[in-house]
Amino acid sequence: MFTRITESPEQTAELAVMVGKKIREGTVLCMEGDLGAGKTLFVQSLAATLGVECEVTSPTFNLMNIYEGICPILHFDLYRLETEDQLEDIGFFEYTEEPEGIVVIEWADKFPEAMPEDYVSVKFERTEKVDERRITFSVVGEKNTEQLEELEAFCQF
Ligand code: ADP
Ligand code: MG
């Protein structure tokens, strides 16, 4: 596990650029944190780093967007999801169990049982300062242990 503090939206974007340069294809990033914590901003910068040229917006109503970058980038937002059945309907499990490309899931903590065996968790927290965020990376499962170490070494301001 490692944590980075960002002091502005720009710095969170910069952190996402560093993650984007190192992240391996086939990785699932499960993101948690309150509304306005910075999840979507992080995904926007990550996607841009992975070669996505179109605008990235949170897929709040349709639950999933797919972007073409150097690999497919699947962006889920489970904020409005009410039941796990809907995940089945949109093919969530096919996309996340053996992911092609990179999968990012906002509000992953709403449905912890639906998450795959292996993923990188990214937790966003506000601090007492308005523009400051505490961003904590950890792994669930064995698969991403080495990748987390690489990310920790590379993500330095
Ligand atoms: P979420 O997807 O978690 O609901 P967003 O990324 O949509 O959050 O919004 C984050 C908001 O917080 C943006 O308006 C952004 O400008 C603001 N903000 C302020 N400080 C930071 C920071 N350090 N990191 C990320 N966002 C920040
Ligand atoms: Mg969001």
Side-chain angles (χ1 to χ4, degrees):
M1 183 170 94
F2 70 95
T3 297
R4 295 290 176 267
I5 302 280
T6 67
E7 293 175 341
S8 64
E10 292 73 25
Q11 208 177 10
T12 295
E14 197 189 324
L15 180 61
V17 169
M18 294 189 280
V19 171
K21 285 180 179 167
K22 278 284 156 193
I23 196 167
R24 299 178 186 175
E25 254 185 75
T27 302
V28 177
L29 286 185
C30 290
M31 314 181 97
E32 58 180 288
D34 294 340
L35 272 181
K39 303 180 295 299
T40 300
L41 188 143
F42 186 96
V43 178
Q44 287 165 336
S45 178
L46 179 75
T49 307
L50 294 168
V52 175
E53 287 175 359
C54 65
E55 195 194 353
V56 171
T57 52
S58 216
T60 303
F61 292 98
N62 50 344
L63 299 175
M64 176 181 71
N65 288 335
I66 301 184
Y67 300 107
E68 258 327 304
I70 56 173
C71 62
I73 291 121
L74 283 73
H75 182 194
F76 291 91
D77 187 328
L78 309 186
Y79 183 61
R80 282 176 201 277
L81 190 73
E82 278 157 18
T83 70
E84 237 177 271
D85 301 349
Q86 291 167 275
L87 288 178
E88 202 111 35
D89 299 343
I90 59 168
F92 181 83
F93 300 103
E94 285 84 79
Y95 289 122
T96 54
E97 267 154 31
E98 279 179 40
E100 273 180 53
I102 289 169
V103 179
V104 288
I105 307 168
E106 295 191 44
W107 293 96
D109 53 314
K110 268 187 72 179
F111 295 94
E113 317 79 44
M115 294 307 119
E117 241 171 78
D118 290 289
Y119 60 86
V120 176
S121 161
V122 190
K123 188 172 175 183
F124 293 75
E125 296 167 293
R126 292 169 186 277
T127 72
E128 55 292 338
K129 294 189 197 148
V130 181
D131 283 342
E132 200 172 84
R133 301 290 187 269
R134 184 183 304 113
I135 303 172
T136 303
F137 296 80
S138 60
V139 291
V140 169
E142 302 279 296
K143 181 182 159 192
N144 294 297
T145 311
E146 195 184 284
Q147 179 169 210
L148 190 78
E149 284 170 15
E150 283 174 16
L151 287 172
E152 179 171 14
F154 191 69
C155 293
Q156 308 282 352
F157 293 117

